[in-house]
Each structure stands twice: as structure tokens, then as C-alpha cells.
Amino acid sequence: MTVPPPVIHFDEVSQVFSKKDGSAVTALDRISFDIAKNEFVAVLGPSGCGKSTLLRLIAGLIKPTSGTLQIYGLDVTEPRDEIGIVFQRPTLLPWFDVLGNVTFPLRHKYGRVSTDEKLRAQQLLELVGLQDFATKQVDELSGGMQQRVAIARALLLDPDILLMDEPFSALDALTRDEMSFELLNIWSSRPKTVLFITHSIPEAVLLADRIIVMTPRPGRVREILDVPLARPRSLQTLSDPAFHALANHIRGRLFTRIAA
Amino acid sequence: MLSPITSVAASSLESPPEPARPSAGTPLAQAWRWLLTMADRFAPALAGIGLIVVWEISCRLFEIPTFLLPAPSVILSGAMEQSWSTWASNVWATIRVALIGYLVAIAVSIPLAIALASSRLLSRTLYPLIVIIQATPIVAVAPIMVVVLGTSDVPRVAITFLITFFPIVVATTTGLLATPEEMIELSRSLRAGRTREIFHIRLPFAVPYIFSALKISITLAFVGAVVAEFVAAEQGLGYFIQFATSFFKIAQAFAALIVLVAISLLSFQLVSLAQGLLVPWSLPKSER
């Protein structure tokens, strides 16, 4: 029995940006970790710790300055079809209706969308609970609904890997909790390798199998933690002592660092 | 089809002041309220009519000489001195020049803006030239253009083009470059290519910017056409105004001016209407 390669493999990856004045900023400093198939991993850290840079590296939108970054054992050189991205803002296109936004990746990539594909988009809208909103304009939707459309769009090409860049950070607290459980439902019905970037400790603990805790300037991995909470997770999870113990542990770690 | 300006005015008058009368419900109170509602609805028309009436009365009362300010009635009778066919051919000449110049400006400006937004080299070489053209007083160039391009419609269209194209280029380029980074990343993550990035994402994103410029430019197009007609023409409303004033027929010049304003307003409204029909999403929700 051979061990399959990790889905995402970081080995000593650094990212240095050069600013206009010639000085260099180290966004990520020697990052190493592996993510296994269908694992839900949260990347947690304060702003400025390079979380978004991490996501853009995996997405193939930027190239690492040094180190090895592989997906399925292959170096990442350009964006690939196995990856779906959900951005911080919904990033919907106002010139299409809701269904047009969900099918946009196909239209954009191949220039056309077949009836079958439209049907699949409609099923994805059902999955995110928006089956009755297909013909609505996007600005008629609330922030939470718009982000659901963005999730449906990211799932259209049925990616193995879902990258989420603080997708719920612009939502109000109640909608945010609701969306977290919604995401867990979607993930359990369509298992995928998820990399979820967040600066919310409870969100990371509630959602993830493992949490990569990062520290800022330069962005480094401080700690990688297993989340010992059973699945499926529910509202009860939020009152589980283990949930609070882990959240407090992380909080202590992050605040120590800031105090130091 | 409310223009932004009139819709602002309309919304500020949305709730007509309620009469603070204790006997609300009596026929008198109802009649009062009806009167207020009507006054609100017809306020713009009433203001216009009021202005004309005051204008007419002032001209007669103070015996203002016609060559200073002709009364509305004098303008009307002055307009009647010319035949309908004279009016029609002059109006058509101006509209033709303005519209051709405008369409040429659109056809040139949007591809030009795409080129400017796509290539740093093109932007660095072409943009200064475009700004120089814009900084040149076109009125001063007009006589030269007529000498160079002859006496056909060509110099007039060229002058109209030069006056109208700049806002479209600048607005379109701004829109193309203002496209949010995440939309571009969405496109790049799909590896759709540069062309599709421009036509599926950047250009649609620029549509509200483009329409703002199209509304500015349509009125500029009539400025351009009239300026060109001042310099060299044997037809058109600009030519007509010059001809009329040189014979001291001020009333006829005023009549042509009013026709020009009407055409210009109408074409502005047509552009707004086109935006509402073709790309309703590009309007703010309240104006759809």
C-alpha cells in the first residue's frame, strides 16, 4: 500500500514582494505544511500575516519566490481547473442574473453554456438554497445570498479543491454563523479539500479539521492544531467544552505573540 | 425616462406638504389637497409657462428692443417667416453632422480606450497626444480644418469628432482600469485569456462609465456641429444663426437657438433611454 501524495504540499515556501521604492517585504517566510484529500483546513491569523498570499499561491495566481509548492505532486505553475475560489467579497457580475453568474466560469472559459450545464447550475443553486432566485439581478440579493451565489459559482466546475478567502468576513454575525453551518452541509454532501482563510477563531474551530495558526510580518506558521471535535458539527458543538478549550488555547497563543 | 436631474427634483418633491387643517375630510379640505397634488405634478411645466409669460410681459412692459431680447411672441412669428422646408433642411444638416461625428467618436474611442488600458507602451505614447488634442481649442482649429479638408461634411464631422471623443476615451479607460482586482483574478483563475478578460469582464464593468461619457458627448456633439457651421457651411442651425444675426433678424436667431436646445435635450434623453433599455443593470436601482 503506497501513501498517496498530499493534495497540497508546501515545502519552505517564501514569498517576497518588492515595493516601488525598492525595499522588499517578506509576506510569507518558509511555510511548510501538507493538506490531505477532503480535509478541511483553516488558515487563521491577524491581517498582514500573508493568508491571502497563501491562497493566491495555491490558486496559481502568483509564483512563490522560493520553496516548493505542489498540488497532487506537481509544481504549481498556473491556475488549474481543480480549484474553485470564493473571494472575500462575492465578486458577482452585475450584468448577469444569478444563474448567469453561476454559469459564468463555463461561459468565460469555453464561450458557451449548454442546457445541461444550466441545469447543473440550477442544482447548485438548490444546494445553496437559492433555487427560486435564478433570474434575479444580483443586487436584489442580500450579502449572505450573494456569497452563496459565489459558492455555487466556485462549485460549478466541480473542483477537488475549494479555496475560500475570508468569505464570510463581510457578513453580519448572525448571517455568518448561518453560513458556516451551510458550508459544512455543502462540504458533507460534496466532499472537497477546503482551505478556508479566516481571522475568526470560533469560525476556524467550528469548521476545520486542522487549523494553521499564522503570525504576521513576516507571515510564519506558528502552530498547526488538530480540531478534536466530532462531525457532523452543529449548534451543540458551539457549547462543547473542547470547542472553548481550543479557542482559548489559540487566543492565548496569538495574544502572547502580540504582547511580546 | 427621467434624467438624473429631473428625478432628483421629483424625489425632493415626493411628498407634497400636507395641509395642517383640522377639518381634513370635508369637501373643502379634499379640494385643497387635490390642488396641492396637481400643483406638485405640474410644477415643472408651470414654471416653464410662468417664465415665458414673465418674459413676454417684461418685453412689452419695459419696451425692450427686439435686437436686445425679442419677446416669445416675436420669436414665434420670426420663426414663421421661414418655411418648414428651410427649417427641416437646416435641422437635418445639424443633426446629420452631430450624429455622424458622435458615432465616429464612439467607434474610435472605445477601441482606443481598450488599447490604452491594455498596453503600457500605447498608453505612454498615445495618451499625451490625446491630451494635447483635448487641450487645443477646437474652435481655433476649425478654420484650418476647413481649409485642409474642403467644404463638404468631412471637416464638420471631424470637428464634432474632436470635441466629443475625449470624454469617451477617458471614461472608458477609467472603467476598464477600475475593474476590481478580484474580478480579474476570477478570470485569471479560469485561464480564459486576455481577450475574454477584456470583453467578458473589463468592458462590461466599464459600461456605466461609458454611458456617463456618452451622455456628456451627445450634447458636445451639437456644440461641435454648430461651431463647424459657424466657420464654414451653407446649411445647418449654426449657419442659420450666423446668417440671421448678420441681417439683424434676432428673433429668427433665437428661434434657431431654441430648436437647438430642444434637439440637444431630446438626444440626451434618447441616450438615457437607450441605457435603460439596453443595459438597465448599469443604472442605479432607483432609476431603472
Side-chain angles (χ1 to χ4, degrees):
Chain A
M1 195 177 114
T2 55
V3 181
V7 176
I8 300 171
H9 172 67
F10 271 71
D11 185 20
E12 298 275 303
V13 172
S14 295
Q15 183 68 39
V16 182
F17 292 112
S18 47
K19 288 208 280 194
K20 270 195 179 148
D21 61 11
S23 66
V25 177
T26 307
L28 294 173
D29 187 28
R30 285 164 291 144
I31 304 288
S32 298
F33 61 81
D34 285 337
I35 297 178
K37 190 164 176 56
N38 294 345
E39 198 177 11
F40 197 127
V41 173
V43 178
L44 177 69
S47 49
C49 72
K51 303 185 298 263
S52 290
T53 307
L54 198 76
L55 180 136
R56 277 159 181 77
L57 280 170
I58 302 171
L61 294 168
I62 50 177
K63 290 192 176 68
T65 311
S66 65
T68 310
L69 165 54
Q70 294 181 327
I71 292 179
Y72 291 123
L74 298 168
D75 284 344
V76 177
T77 52
E78 59 171 356
R80 13 190 326 156
D81 292 348
E82 299 95 332
I83 294 177
I85 307 175
V86 179
F87 295 96
Q88 189 166 359
R89 286 175 296 169
T91 318
L92 301 180
L93 310 174
W95 48 94
F96 291 120
D97 62 8
V98 167
L99 191 70
N101 268 283
V102 178
T103 54
F104 179 75
L106 282 164
R107 188 194 317 275
H108 197 44
K109 207 168 164 54
Y110 305 109
R112 49 183 294 281
V113 184
S114 72
T115 322
D116 275 2
E117 288 159 345
K118 278 195 185 133
L119 211 64
R120 199 166 82 219
Q122 185 62 48
Q123 287 164 354
L124 286 170
L125 280 178
E126 220 160 294
L127 181 74
V128 298
L130 290 177
Q131 57 277 16
D132 299 329
F133 293 83
T135 56
K136 288 265 189 277
Q137 292 302 118
V138 292
D139 61 1
E140 295 176 70
L141 269 54
S142 68
M145 287 162 127
Q146 292 190 9
Q147 202 53 284
R148 286 167 201 242
V149 176
I151 292 172
R153 177 179 65 190
L155 295 173
L156 182 75
L157 298 177
D158 199 20
D160 294 346
I161 302 167
L162 194 57
L163 303 178
M164 308 184 87
D165 187 5
E166 303 189 30
F168 307 146
S169 63
L171 305 177
D172 64 82
L174 294 174
T175 312
R176 196 173 173 147
D177 288 349
E178 187 193 339
M179 291 293 287
S180 299
F181 288 111
E182 190 85 29
L183 177 62
L184 285 176
N185 277 335
I186 293 168
W187 181 64
S188 58
S189 71
R190 311 206 169 189
K192 297 190 182 303
T193 308
V194 180
L195 188 101
F196 188 98
I197 286 173
T198 179
H199 55 235
S200 159
I201 296 171
E203 192 174 64
V205 177
L206 176 66
L207 291 172
D209 296 319
R210 275 196 303 154
I211 301 174
I212 299 174
V213 182
M214 295 189 62
T215 53
R217 283 175 283 273
R220 288 199 177 112
V221 174
R222 171 140 184 95
E223 193 173 16
I224 300 181
L225 297 160
D226 285 313
V227 180
L229 298 168
R231 291 195 188 270
R233 294 180 191 164
S234 62
L235 276 173
Q236 278 76 49
T237 312
L238 293 171
S239 48
D240 190 324
F243 176 90
H244 291 284
L246 187 57
N248 283 333
H249 170 82
I250 297 170
R251 212 166 277 132
R253 285 302 191 135
L254 285 173
F255 286 133
T256 314
R257 168 74 192 178
I258 290 160
Chain B
M1 82 180 187
L2 287 173
S3 76
I5 297 158
T6 56
S7 62
V8 167
S11 65
S12 66
L13 290 169
E14 224 159 29
S15 47
E18 281 296 317
R21 299 200 161 197
S23 54
T26 65
L28 196 69
Q30 280 175 3
W32 175 246
R33 199 171 305 140
W34 179 82
L35 206 66
L36 283 179
T37 315
M38 287 297 121
D40 177 55
R41 182 174 304 166
F42 295 111
L46 288 175
I49 292 168
L51 178 72
I52 291 171
V53 170
V54 170
W55 180 357
E56 181 76 42
I57 291 173
S58 314
C59 283
R60 289 178 188 228
L61 204 63
F62 305 118
E63 293 173 351
I64 298 172
T66 308
F67 64 85
L68 283 185
L69 180 69
S73 60
V74 178
I75 294 173
L76 192 65
S77 60
M80 303 293 234
E81 282 170 30
Q82 296 289 346
S83 69
W84 281 111
S85 63
T86 310
W87 279 113
S89 64
N90 283 311
V91 165
W92 169 240
T94 301
I95 290 181
R96 188 183 63 221
V97 168
L99 279 191
I100 296 175
Y102 182 62
L103 292 177
V104 172
I106 296 172
V108 171
S109 300
I110 292 177
L112 187 60
I114 292 174
L116 291 177
S118 314
S119 152
R120 188 178 147 74
L121 178 71
L122 281 178
S123 147
R124 286 185 53 81
T125 48
L126 291 181
Y127 204 71
L129 290 177
I130 293 169
V131 174
I132 289 171
I133 293 175
Q134 172 64 13
T136 309
I138 301 301
V139 183
V141 183
I144 303 172
M145 306 231 18
V146 172
V147 173
V148 174
L149 295 172
T151 51
S152 62
D153 267 355
V154 176
R156 292 190 280 276
V157 167
I159 290 163
T160 307
F161 163 79
L162 287 176
I163 286 188
T164 48
F165 88 109
F166 188 73
I168 310 178
V169 173
V170 172
T172 309
T173 311
T174 306
L176 292 169
L177 294 178
T179 312
E181 191 55 34
E182 290 183 334
M183 283 191 189
I184 303 303
E185 287 184 337
L186 173 70
S187 171
R188 287 186 50 216
S189 74
L190 293 161
R191 280 176 300 142
R194 233 10 219 144
T195 314
R196 284 212 170 117
E197 178 193 306
I198 288 167
F199 286 97
H200 285 186
I201 298 209
R202 285 187 189 267
L203 206 51
F205 184 83
V207 162
Y209 295 78
I210 295 174
F211 264 96
S212 299
L214 291 183
K215 285 183 203 163
I216 296 168
S217 284
I218 189 68
T219 50
L220 287 179
F222 286 95
V223 175
V226 169
V227 163
E229 286 164 0
F230 280 166
V231 176
E234 51 292 322
Q235 249 189 346
L237 289 168
Y239 161 79
F240 184 90
I241 288 172
Q242 213 177 34
F243 183 81
T245 47
S246 64
F247 285 86
F248 236 64
K249 292 179 177 168
I250 304 301
Q252 289 190 20
F254 263 89
L257 184 65
I258 290 168
V259 171
L260 256 177
V261 172
I263 295 171
S264 192
L265 279 177
L266 187 70
S267 33
F268 178 87
Q269 292 288 22
L270 284 175
V271 174
S272 303
L273 188 70
Q275 182 177 15
L277 288 175
L278 298 174
V279 281
W281 59 266
S282 69
L283 289 167
K285 255 187 192 173
S286 57
E287 283 177 40
R288 267 174 224 163

